[in-house]
Amino acid sequence: EAEVAQSPRYKITEKSQAVAFWCDPISGHATLYWYRQILGQGPELLVQFQDESVVDDSQLPKDRFSAERLKGVDSTLKIQPAELGDSAMYLCASSLAGSGGAIETQYFGPGTRLLVL
Amino acid sequence: GESVGLHLPTLSVQEGDNSIINCAYSNSASDYFIWYKQESGKGPQFIIDIRSNMDKRQGQRVTVLLNKTVKHLSLQIAATQPGDSAVYFCAENSGGNKLVFGAGTILRVKS
């Protein structure tokens, strides 16, 4: 069964350092999402891509966070510099299509757990 | 902003019993709802979904009920098993395939 792949699974870093997370969506899925999940809460959307274009990054703290999906397949989420409050699970999800079109189920990867010291 | 919430943060059930997890949503314009299961250290796993033109949908051992009048969603799990222990999230489509998640309900299954 096809799955969303994410790496690394765990990351420990010191504040002010840069970190990057990678996501490979399910093959053929045009829409890719990055979520942040704080312990004990539901995931919150950071950014949504349709192919290589950003559809929604209204909740992305753009002073320190950036995301790209250059070829419309895999994606990277970067934080620079990391702050203590960034400690969370970063989840990637993908769906067949979605933006402006039919509703498609989002499938999640295993996540990257970030700890900022 | 719009939000989705859960009535019970923790639910404990005996193995073999049925479980009911509830969720209240606030956006009356939402047209799609999903239940996810999340085990410790893993990403959310799709369980079942329902569109707003339906009031009930059944899967394998799971049923989702939607009451648009009172903006209420529930997940029923039949014959609950230890492997069902997890955090369960409801989510609503707020438009443009953007999901808004609730805080989650912890389901504990006692053997």
Side-chain angles (χ1 to χ4, degrees), chain B residues 12 58 60:
Chain B
S12 294
Q58 289 183 293
Q60 186 177 11

Side-chain angles (χ1 to χ4, degrees), chain A residues 9 37 56 98 102-103 105-106 109, chain B residues 32 36 38 41 43-44 96-98:
Chain A
R9 293 295 311 278
Q37 184 177 26
D56 183 358
I103 297 171
T105 302
Q106 294 183 27
Chain B
Y32 178 64
Y36 285 94
Q38 188 172 25
N97 264 295
K98 297 174 180 54

Side-chain angles (χ1 to χ4, degrees), chain A residues 9 33 35 37 40-43 45 48 55-56 89 91 98-100 102-110, chain B residues 31-32 34 36 38 40-46 49 51 89 93 95-104:
Chain A
R9 293 295 311 278
Y33 312 80
Y35 288 85
Q37 184 177 26
Q41 298 182 16
L45 181 68
Q48 177 181 351
V55 174
D56 183 358
M89 173 82 91
L91 293 161
S99 180
I103 297 171
E104 298 285 353
T105 302
Q106 294 183 27
Y107 296 93
F108 284 81
Chain B
D31 55 2
Y32 178 64
I34 300 181
Y36 285 94
Q38 188 172 25
S40 181
K42 298 183 180 180
Q45 175 188 358
F46 170 82
D49 58 2
R51 297 179 188 268
F89 292 97
N93 177 37
N97 264 295
K98 297 174 180 54
L99 292 181
V100 176
F101 284 79

